[in-house]
């Protein structure tokens, strides 16, 4: 009796493992199909001047409009896309959609700001990212100054020389380069300078520490002075409160992004933000009495 129970359990374990593999394969197939059926949509989150609230750029953030699951966030499929190589096709889709959107806004006479596009490390080391961006921009008649690229620190650490070559190819095409989620990886400032990055986006984990502890400010202060000395601008990600904004202003942070300004929104709403231009929820946060 006990023996057969044990055996049953083993079978159960085995079958749940294959269930997991099956689920993964299903997901992979669904993702493949999503690419063919064009089920991806970009939302846009504003990045604004920390001092005036003026719109500086829109970050393109991909969502999967799954026929049954609804809107699937990137966390749920980017790593699978990377592991399966589908990220290359997805990257092209995101780029094409961002360029098409810019062209549409341009044709409608909307005052444009750059769109920043997240690029996976897997899209590097292929030797043609600069070319593919330039080709897509040319196809849609979009000025390269209207596109920026966000790459994580880990992407810059990989195959050093290849990455440097591809980054300089992007730069030669006039595309700005930002380091995403800065502070979570292991890049050194000398590396960032060598790669001639234009700006740092400080991970929201650090923003979350501001106004909670004095140490939170120390990190920002140090990064800010070094980044500025190296000619890079600093963006704080994940700004959720007015208090965080005030601290960032006092530290001379250049730009902010986060729910305090706006969540990522569909293109139609992003267009409204572009027309409004100044996006602080209050006219002048510095002029308000201290909380
Ligand atoms: P990310 O590039 O660091 O983008 C910022 C993420 O933080 C977004 O999540 C955004 O919605 C979220 N966020 C913004 N402000 C706040 C805030 O104030 N509080 C909090 N709690 N969160 C905030 P999302 O859209 O789910 O994207 C997650 C990640 O997926 C992105 O992180 C990026 O690494 C990746 N991703 C998104 N789109 C693409 C893409 O087109 N290609 C690639 N390769 N990766 C992408
Ligand atoms: Mg990003
Ligand atoms: Mg980030
Ligand atoms: Mg520079």
């Amino acid at each position: 009796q006990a023996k057969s129970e044990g055996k049953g359990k083993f079978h159960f374990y085995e079958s749940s493992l294959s269930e997991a593999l099956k689920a993964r394969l299903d997901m992979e197939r669904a993702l493949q199909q999503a690419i063919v059926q064009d089920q991806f949509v970009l939302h846009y989150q504003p990045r604004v001047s920390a001092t005036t609230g003026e719109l500086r750029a829109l970050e393109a953030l991909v969502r999967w409009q799954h026929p049954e699951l609804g809107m699937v966030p990137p966390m749920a499929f980017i790593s699978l896309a990377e592991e399966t190589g589908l990220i290359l096709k997805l990257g092209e889709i995101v780029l094409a959609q961002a360029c098409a959107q810019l062209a549409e806004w341009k044709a409608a006479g909307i005052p444009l700001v750059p769109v920043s596009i997240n690029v996976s490390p897997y899209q590097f080391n292929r030797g043609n990212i600069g070319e593919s961006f330039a080709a897509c921009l040319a196809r849609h008649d979009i000025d390269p100054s209207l596109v920026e690229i966000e790459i994580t620190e880990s992407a810059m650490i990989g195959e050093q020389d290849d990455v440097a070559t591809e980054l300089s190819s992007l730069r030669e095409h006039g595309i700005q380069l930002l380091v995403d989620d800065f502070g979570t990886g292991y890049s050194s400032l000398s590396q960032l300078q060598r790669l001639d990055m234009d700006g740092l986006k400080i991970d929201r984990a650090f923003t979350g520490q501001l106004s909670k502890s004095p140490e939170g400010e120390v990190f920002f202060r140090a990064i800010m002075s070094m980044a500025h000395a190296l000619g890079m601008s600093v963006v704080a990600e994940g700004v959720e409160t007015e208090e965080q904004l005030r601290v960032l202003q006092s530290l001379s942070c250049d730009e902010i992004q986060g729910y305090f300004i706006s969540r990522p929104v569909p293109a139609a709403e992003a267009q409204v933000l572009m027309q409004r231009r100044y996006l602080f929820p209050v006219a002048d946060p510095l002029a308000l009495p201290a909380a």
Side-chain angles (χ1 to χ4, degrees):
Q1 172 82 38
K3 210 176 177 184
S4 67
E5 223 173 63
K7 209 173 168 190
K9 268 184 191 155
F10 178 68
H11 272 285
F12 174 74
Y13 170 75
E14 225 180 14
S15 75
S16 69
L17 185 67
S18 63
E19 283 294 303
L21 285 173
K22 190 180 167 297
R24 202 195 124 103
L25 277 173
D26 285 349
M27 184 73 169
E28 189 179 330
R29 235 173 266 129
L31 198 57
Q32 225 145 14
Q33 203 175 30
I35 285 171
V36 176
Q37 297 182 352
D38 203 12
Q39 292 171 355
F40 297 98
V41 62
L42 295 181
H43 282 189
Y44 298 88
Q45 188 180 35
R47 192 174 93 214
V48 305
S49 156
T51 47
T52 66
E54 185 178 17
L55 181 63
R56 289 286 173 76
L58 292 167
E59 178 172 7
L61 294 158
V62 71
R63 275 93 180 89
W64 175 7
Q65 280 179 308
H66 192 284
E68 285 116 45
L69 301 176
M71 205 69 101
V72 182
M75 267 230 326
F77 63 89
I78 291 287
S79 58
L80 181 63
E82 289 177 334
E83 287 159 26
T84 54
L86 292 170
I87 192 71
L88 297 178
K89 195 80 195 107
L90 182 60
E92 286 170 23
I93 290 173
V94 166
L95 172 63
Q97 213 175 103
C99 289
Q101 187 60 66
L102 275 165
E104 195 183 311
W105 281 329
K106 185 181 165 187
I110 309 294
L112 299 175
V113 291
V115 168
S116 74
I117 297 176
N118 292 284
V119 174
S120 160
Y122 292 81
Q123 292 171 261
F124 280 85
N125 308 321
R126 308 257 318 164
N128 60 3
I129 195 168
E131 306 313 314
S132 64
F133 267 72
C136 195
L137 288 162
R139 195 155 57 238
H140 290 91
D141 192 23
I142 296 297
D143 194 277
S145 66
L146 286 171
V147 166
E148 301 172 346
I149 279 184
E150 300 190 10
I151 53 168
T152 57
E153 290 180 277
S154 56
M156 304 186 309
I157 291 166
E159 301 284 309
Q160 292 285 344
D161 292 343
D162 294 354
V163 172
T165 307
E166 300 210 24
L167 286 175
S168 63
S169 154
L170 285 162
R171 165 173 315 292
E172 277 157 23
H173 284 104
I175 294 165
Q176 297 267 313
L177 308 172
L178 303 174
V179 183
D180 205 353
D181 304 341
F182 184 77
T184 59
Y186 300 95
S187 61
S188 64
L189 282 157
S190 66
Q191 208 168 19
L192 300 180
Q193 187 189 28
R194 190 174 57 81
L195 295 174
D196 199 14
M197 302 303 288
D198 297 289
L200 302 181
K201 297 186 77 172
I202 303 199
D203 192 77
R204 71 166 182 267
F206 299 98
T207 306
Q209 289 308 308
L210 287 175
S211 74
K212 273 196 191 143
S213 70
E215 297 83 66
E217 290 184 29
V218 172
F219 177 83
F220 266 90
R221 210 182 287 280
I223 294 304
M224 217 95 68
S225 73
M226 286 188 279
H228 286 164
L230 297 175
M232 291 185 283
S233 68
V234 176
V235 184
E237 299 192 282
V239 177
E240 294 183 353
T241 68
E242 190 180 319
E243 199 181 355
Q244 287 166 350
L245 171 58
R246 283 174 200 276
V247 176
L248 289 163
Q249 286 174 328
S250 77
L251 296 173
S252 309
C253 184
D254 302 286
E255 296 174 354
I256 64 159
Q257 187 174 336
Y259 295 169
F260 182 65
I261 303 298
S262 167
R263 291 190 175 249
V265 294
E269 283 174 56
Q271 178 172 325
V272 175
L273 298 178
M274 290 169 101
Q275 285 163 318
R276 199 167 102 213
R277 201 108 204 155
Y278 288 89
L279 304 183
F280 278 157
V282 287
D284 180 10
L286 280 183
L288 292 175

